[in-house]
């Protein structure tokens, strides 16, 4: 009897066919060709940034005035700048700076914005009023102008530019999380958690925060592209990375007077910014299509 029941039981699904929300999301993401193209571009620049000391043929600070404004050649693939520095080397090292600013400024914005958004949405009342008015004040200024003001106060440097970019983007994530929390805290499972005596801290970390990750991930991916553009804008104005750091925006600023005489000094840093931002935008759109239930058929 036992053997017959054992034979009648359905076979277990293979391990490689196991299903889950994140596994299913990855399968759907892989089917999106534009999103995979964006991921490929991002991985390409990340790999270049990590391997810069081994890939770069020259020292990014080495000046050779005798070779200034040389066009692209077998010796200098991207040509040289007005100080004779190899542009290929400086573009490679510039990927490190731009990605570093993009990733860490967004991480800072997400941490602070998520914390404030959860507090405002969950506790409401006077706390929601104060935090929401703070967000409104920050959003009242154009982001780049507010970033310029913050860097002007703190002093021009790459680190201060990172702080400024993180601060101006806090309201974006804070308001996103606040709206998500307002919709989640009225759900039945949150009411049940309160009914059984679960403390607010545990509710926030066990239920509210995990169910708020999807919009944060999507917005964070798109936010990195915005942060890279803002870092380049601050660098172009001389408020970001300082010489001799090879930041893409600063490279554009230093080369703007040679656009007609030596266009390669502008083309390659500008192309790097465009491709990196494009990669994050394509991947962010793909993540939105996969993770947002409203985008699913």
């Amino acid at each position: 009897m036992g053997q017959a029941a054992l034979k009648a039981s359905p076979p277990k699904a293979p391990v490689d066919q196991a299903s889950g929300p994140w596994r299913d999301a990855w399968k759907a993401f892989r089917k999106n060709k534009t999103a995979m193209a964006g991921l490929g571009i991002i991985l390409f620049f990340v790999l270049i940034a990590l391997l810069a000391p081994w890939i770069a043929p020259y020292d990014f600070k080495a000046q050779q005035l005798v070779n200034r404004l040389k066009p692209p050649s077998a010796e200098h693939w991207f040509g040289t700048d007005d100080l004779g520095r190899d542009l290929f080397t400086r573009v490679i090292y510039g990927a490190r700076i731009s990605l570093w600013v993009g990733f860490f400024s967004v991480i800072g914005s997400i941490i602070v914005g998520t914390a404030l958004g959860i507090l405002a949405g969950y506790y409401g009342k006077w706390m929601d009023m104060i935090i929401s008015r703070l967000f409104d004040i920050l959003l009242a200024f154009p982001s780049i102008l507010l970033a310029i003001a913050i860097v002007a106060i703190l002093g021009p440097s790459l680190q201060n530019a990172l702080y400024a970019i993180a601060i101006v983007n806090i309201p974006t994530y804070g308001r996103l999380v606040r709206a998500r929390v307002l919709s989640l805290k009225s759900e039945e499972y949150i009411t049940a958690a309160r009914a059984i005596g679960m403390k607010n801290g545990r509710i926030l970390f066990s239920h509210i925060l995990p169910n708020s990750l999807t919009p944060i991930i999507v917005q964070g991916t798109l936010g990195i592209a915005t942060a890279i553009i803002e870092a380049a804008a601050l660098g172009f104005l001389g408020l970001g990375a300082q010489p001799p750091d090879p930041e893409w925006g600063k490279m554009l600023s230093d080369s703007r007077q040679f656009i007609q005489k030596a266009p390669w000094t502008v083309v390659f840093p500008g192309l790097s910014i465009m491709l990196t931002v494009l990669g994050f935008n394509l991947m962010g759109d793909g993540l939105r299509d996969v993770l947002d239930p409203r985008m699913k058929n």
Side-chain angles (χ1 to χ4, degrees), residues 27-284:
K27 289 180 180 179
F29 183 84
R30 285 189 302 176
K31 295 178 181 179
N32 191 324
K33 294 183 179 179
T34 57
M36 290 300 294
L39 179 60
I41 294 173
I42 294 170
L43 292 178
F44 172 74
F45 278 98
V46 169
L47 192 63
I48 283 179
L50 294 175
L51 300 178
W54 295 275
I55 297 176
Y58 301 95
D59 181 0
F60 69 86
K61 295 180 292 185
Q63 301 180 14
Q64 295 180 346
L65 295 180
V66 68
N67 290 327
R68 66 188 303 268
L69 299 179
K70 292 286 186 181
S73 62
E75 185 179 2
H76 300 284
W77 291 359
F78 289 179
T80 61
D81 62 7
D82 59 314
L83 296 177
R85 297 172 295 192
D86 182 66
L87 272 180
F88 178 69
T89 299
R90 291 180 63 78
V91 167
I92 288 176
Y93 275 95
R96 281 188 159 189
I97 295 177
S98 293
L99 291 175
W100 181 76
V101 172
F103 279 116
F104 285 97
S105 62
V106 167
I107 289 174
S109 299
I110 288 176
I111 292 174
V112 178
T114 299
L116 293 177
I118 287 178
L119 292 176
Y122 188 78
Y123 291 102
K125 298 182 180 178
W126 63 269
M127 185 174 292
D128 184 18
M129 183 185 68
I130 293 175
I131 294 175
S132 296
R133 296 298 79 77
L134 175 62
F135 290 162
D136 291 339
I137 292 172
L138 292 176
L139 290 171
F141 298 92
S143 59
I144 188 62
L145 292 182
L146 182 57
I148 290 172
I150 294 172
V151 175
I153 295 172
L154 299 178
S157 71
L158 183 63
Q159 186 174 3
N160 290 339
L162 188 152
Y163 294 153
I165 294 170
I167 291 172
V168 300
N169 288 307
I170 285 175
T172 301
Y173 301 96
R175 297 182 72 177
L176 182 68
V177 173
R178 175 184 175 274
R180 181 66 175 166
V181 172
L182 287 175
S183 65
L184 287 175
K185 72 176 186 178
S186 60
E187 295 287 339
E188 293 182 357
Y189 64 91
I190 300 297
T191 304
R194 291 199 193 99
I196 63 175
M198 186 177 292
K199 295 182 178 179
N200 288 331
R202 187 175 176 186
I203 292 175
L204 291 176
F205 285 99
S206 299
H207 300 291
I208 299 291
L209 183 58
N211 286 286
S212 303
L213 289 178
T214 296
I216 295 175
I217 292 173
V218 175
Q219 184 59 42
T221 305
L222 297 171
I224 294 176
T226 303
I228 290 174
I229 293 177
E230 291 173 344
L234 291 175
F236 186 86
L237 297 173
L239 299 175
Q242 300 299 304
D245 291 339
E247 196 272 328
W248 290 336
K250 180 62 176 171
M251 292 170 67
L252 290 175
S253 176
D254 294 339
S255 303
R256 68 183 185 275
Q257 56 184 320
F258 307 111
I259 292 178
Q260 294 182 344
K261 182 180 179 181
W264 57 87
T265 59
V266 177
V267 168
F268 293 111
L271 212 62
S272 300
I273 296 173
M274 185 202 73
L275 288 175
T276 306
V277 172
L278 177 64
F280 280 106
N281 283 335
L282 290 177
M283 192 177 77

